[in-house]
Amino acid sequence: MDRTEHVELAVLCLVYNENAYLLQDKVSEVWKGYTLPGGHIEPGESITNAVIREVKEETGLTIFAPKLRGIKQFPIANGRYIVFLFSADQFEGELTSSEEGNMYWIPKDQLHTVNLVEDFNELLQVILDDNLIEFQYVGQDNNWKVLLH
């Protein structure tokens, strides 16, 4: 039995302060809406360095001491896609946007007023709930089912 599979690796980070979350209004047609900044891990790059780099590229902010909060995974055509979920409340720099989308501080109590990506609430739940570590999409009856562990 072959235990090797193709894997794509990525990171997302919940950057936050006492009152708000930093969200990106993603312009991608594949995953459109307000979401967390992040992106692909480069070959040979450490996972922590990847989240620091991606947040800097997409927000202009340098984060410090990002905390690994969980993973999101889903099947792709020839393997699986794994996203490492981080949070960070220590940062410096001037907020900017990127070609990926505009960045906004959204008050926590106003999340319901913006067009969040489809699985944002599950992402947030895994990141914030110390009893959860994994967000998994599985195929069921020609549909996707979300499992939180």
Side-chain angles (χ1 to χ4, degrees):
M1 173 169 52
D2 187 8
R3 294 176 185 242
T4 303
E5 66 180 309
H6 175 79
V7 176
E8 290 189 40
L9 301 174
V11 292
L12 288 173
C13 189
L14 174 65
V15 180
Y16 65 98
N17 62 30
E18 188 175 309
N19 301 313
Y21 298 133
L22 183 59
L23 301 183
Q24 182 179 64
D25 188 8
K26 207 72 160 147
V27 294
S28 166
E29 289 301 320
V30 177
W31 203 41
K32 194 172 186 163
Y34 283 75
T35 191
L36 307 175
H40 285 90
I41 299 171
E42 301 296 331
E45 183 178 33
S46 88
I47 297 165
T48 303
N49 287 345
V51 74
I52 294 168
R53 176 186 54 77
E54 283 289 345
V55 169
K56 177 74 172 175
E57 288 175 3
E58 294 188 1
T59 72
L61 301 178
T62 300
I63 58 171
F64 302 99
K67 293 177 180 54
L68 181 61
R69 305 296 299 174
I71 59 170
K72 172 185 175 181
Q73 66 170 314
F74 52 91
I76 55 177
N78 57 348
R80 82 172 76 192
Y81 196 96
I82 298 174
V83 183
F84 295 88
L85 306 174
F86 285 86
S87 68
D89 63 352
Q90 299 174 46
F91 50 87
E92 68 179 17
E94 184 175 331
L95 184 63
T96 60
S97 294
S98 74
E99 62 197 28
E100 304 263 346
N102 292 325
M103 300 304 305
Y104 300 97
W105 284 104
I106 306 296
K108 294 175 183 178
D109 64 354
Q110 295 299 307
L111 284 176
H112 67 280
T113 68
V114 298
N115 181 35
L116 299 169
V117 293
E118 187 174 328
D119 59 7
F120 183 84
N121 290 323
E122 290 88 352
L123 282 173
L124 195 59
Q125 190 176 351
V126 170
I127 292 170
L128 297 177
D129 187 338
D130 288 336
N131 295 311
L132 295 173
I133 193 71
E134 184 177 25
F135 172 128
Q136 182 182 19
Y137 277 109
V138 294
Q140 182 178 7
D141 302 324
N142 295 323
N143 292 309
W144 290 110
K145 180 177 179 181
V146 172
L147 301 178
L148 300 180
H149 306 280

